[in-house]
């Protein structure tokens, strides 16, 4: 690399000399002395093995070999300038702040650990994460990327369905020991349901088995406004709930929580990427999306689907 830089330095001096028609003019532009410029020209001629200029009282003119070197030197200098410019643009594209909106359950269990790992490879990448369950407009709220589970909401921009989140029913062993382990969906009506957020009352659940749909009534007597509150309610035997499988896995492995009716399939939730513009997708967002998809591959209960980009209607 050092030899290439030395050659480019000599070529730039040579181009400046030819453009100015004199060693002194080229030396002034390069902020070096005329003897230093003369020495650089001699070094270049030694490398080429040809005289490159005619020295006269009125200045210098390129020889036939000098004209060839001059023509190629201009191209090489332009290409090297473009190379360094592209590198700087790439560095800038992979640094700076990226604003990401994500729901609280996925934000806490998957996206936040992902950001910590991502910063190890891209220390200049700053991610501002907004964990919010309410729907936002990515354009109006100046969000670079939103990860929406279940629905995209009333937003403009573009969306792409990328995954499916599996859910399951869970309760603590202590709660089940006191109230009994349900063997059929209808038995859930006898248990207390822990509802996540209170925007809409949950009074029934849908379960599926062998292609048959089961709708069962549930009684919601506790509402948790945060995923960790919901988990603490489960661990304190308040009742049972439906939760993402990726949240359930660790608690099930340690025996803190137990899955209910494992032969039945609960409702699945689609995962959408929503961003303001297809054309203005930044390199920062691309890096984040690529890392997130890789993380989804290893997450329990998440299946990648990869659908095409869809333009969303402008909210009224």
């Amino acid at each position: 690399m050092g030899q290439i830089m030395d050659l480019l330095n000599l070529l730039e001096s040579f181009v400046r000399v030819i453009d100015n028609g004199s060693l002194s003019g080229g030396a002034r532009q390069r902020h070096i002395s005329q003897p230093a410029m003369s020495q650089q020209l001699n070094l270049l001629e030694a490398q080429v093995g040809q005289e490159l200029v005619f020295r006269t009282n009125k200045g210098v003119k390129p020889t036939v070999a000098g004209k060839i070197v001059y023509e190629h030197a201009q191209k090489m200098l332009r290409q090297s300038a473009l190379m360094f410019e592209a590198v700087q643009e790439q560095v800038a594209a992979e640094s700076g702040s990226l604003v990401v909106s994500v729901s609280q359950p996925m934000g806490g269990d998957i996206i936040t650990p992902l950001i910590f790992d991502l910063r190890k490879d891209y220390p200049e990448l700053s991610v501002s994460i907004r964990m919010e369950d309410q729907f936002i407009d990515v354009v109006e709220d100046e969000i670079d990327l939103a990860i929406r589970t279940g629905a995209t909401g009333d937003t403009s921009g573009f969306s792409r369905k990328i995954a499916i989140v599996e859910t399951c029913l869970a309760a603590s062993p202590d709660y089940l020991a006191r109230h009994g382990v349900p063997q059929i969906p209808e038995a859930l009506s006898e248990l207390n349901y822990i509802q996540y957020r209170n925007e809409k009352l949950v009074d029934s659940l849908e379960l599926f088995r062998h292609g048959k749909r089961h709708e069962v009534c549930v009684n919601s007597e506790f509402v948790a406004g945060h995923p960790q509150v919901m988990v603490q309610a489960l661990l304190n035997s308040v009742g049972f709930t439906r939760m993402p499988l990726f949240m359930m896995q660790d608690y099930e492995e340690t025996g803190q929580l137990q899955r209910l009716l494992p032969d039945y399939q609960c409702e699945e939730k689609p995962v959408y990427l929503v961003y303001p513009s297809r054309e203005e997708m930044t390199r920062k967002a691309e890096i984040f999306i690529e890392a997130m998809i890789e993380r989804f591959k290893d997450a329990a209960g998440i299946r990648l689907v990869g659908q095409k980009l869809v333009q969303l209607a402008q909210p009224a």
Side-chain angles (χ1 to χ4, degrees):
M1 186 67 176
Q3 292 179 340
I4 295 175
M5 296 304 297
D6 289 343
L7 176 60
L8 288 174
N9 182 55
L10 296 178
L11 290 173
E12 184 171 354
S13 293
F14 175 68
V15 168
R16 296 293 181 90
V17 167
I18 299 302
D19 286 344
N20 284 273
S22 68
L23 290 173
S24 58
R28 282 194 299 272
Q29 283 199 344
R30 300 228 62 195
H31 304 290
I32 61 177
S33 65
Q34 183 171 331
M37 178 62 81
S38 179
Q39 183 180 18
Q40 289 190 9
L41 184 56
N42 291 336
L43 287 172
L44 182 61
E45 288 179 327
Q47 288 195 30
V48 175
Q50 297 286 332
E51 288 189 359
L52 300 178
V53 297
F54 295 117
R55 294 169 173 83
T56 68
N57 293 332
K58 295 182 179 181
V60 296
K61 291 184 178 182
T63 63
V64 174
K67 290 178 181 179
I68 296 173
V69 171
Y70 176 77
E71 179 182 349
H72 287 279
Q74 286 182 310
K75 295 178 181 178
M76 292 174 65
L77 292 171
R78 280 197 298 268
Q79 288 299 317
S80 66
L82 290 173
M83 176 189 70
F84 286 111
E85 182 179 335
V87 169
Q88 292 303 315
E89 288 178 352
Q90 180 71 6
V91 171
E94 295 179 354
S95 62
S97 181
L98 178 71
V99 182
V100 178
S101 173
V102 62
S103 64
Q104 293 189 70
M106 183 170 289
D109 281 62
I110 295 181
I111 301 303
T112 297
L114 167 65
I115 291 172
F116 294 150
D117 289 341
L118 197 58
R119 283 182 56 82
K120 296 175 184 177
D121 295 325
Y122 301 93
E124 300 301 319
L125 177 61
S126 173
V127 180
S128 175
I129 182 171
R130 290 175 44 172
M131 287 194 284
E132 50 199 357
D133 292 315
Q134 67 271 24
F135 293 123
I136 49 90
D137 188 298
V138 294
V139 176
E140 289 187 2
D141 292 348
E142 298 182 345
I143 302 296
D144 295 311
L145 181 68
I147 306 160
R148 297 271 71 96
T149 303
T152 60
D154 192 17
T155 180
S156 50
F158 292 82
S159 75
R160 179 161 61 98
K161 184 178 177 181
I162 62 166
I164 296 291
V165 171
E166 299 175 14
T167 64
C168 63
L169 302 178
S172 70
D174 177 64
Y175 181 81
L176 296 175
R178 288 190 282 113
H179 296 275
V181 178
Q183 301 299 320
I184 58 174
E186 289 71 21
L188 296 173
S189 300
E190 304 300 321
L191 305 179
N192 180 38
Y193 182 72
I194 301 171
Q195 179 173 331
Y196 177 58
R197 303 177 69 229
N198 59 359
E199 290 182 352
K200 181 180 179 182
L201 178 65
V202 176
D203 57 9
S204 65
L205 294 175
E206 288 186 344
L207 302 177
F208 303 87
R209 186 185 185 197
H210 304 317
K212 183 179 179 181
R213 174 178 171 272
H214 300 263
E215 183 174 1
V216 295
C217 295
V218 293
N219 300 308
S220 297
E221 297 181 5
F222 186 90
V223 177
H226 190 279
Q228 288 305 312
V229 175
M230 182 180 70
V231 170
Q232 288 302 313
L234 288 170
L235 297 177
N236 283 276
S237 302
V238 173
F240 82 101
T241 194
R242 181 173 65 87
M243 64 192 300
L245 190 57
F246 64 76
M247 285 185 63
M248 168 67 169
Q249 185 184 34
D250 289 343
Y251 295 102
E252 185 177 26
E253 290 177 353
T254 58
Q256 294 174 283
L257 294 179
Q258 182 176 328
R259 202 179 307 194
L260 310 184
L261 300 172
D263 293 336
Y264 289 81
Q265 182 182 7
C266 294
E267 181 184 358
E268 297 180 334
K269 296 286 188 179
V271 180
Y272 298 94
L273 289 181
V274 183
Y275 32 89
S277 171
R278 174 174 52 187
E279 290 77 14
E280 296 179 7
M281 173 66 71
T282 64
R283 178 56 184 156
K284 294 186 286 289
E286 290 176 348
I287 291 171
F288 182 87
I289 291 171
E290 290 168 4
M292 182 180 64
I293 289 175
E294 286 300 314
R295 187 62 58 97
F296 279 176
K297 292 179 181 178
D298 298 327
I302 297 183
R303 306 194 311 272
L304 295 174
V305 294
Q307 291 190 356
K308 293 182 179 180
L309 196 69
V310 175
Q311 184 170 8
L312 300 169
Q314 182 72 30

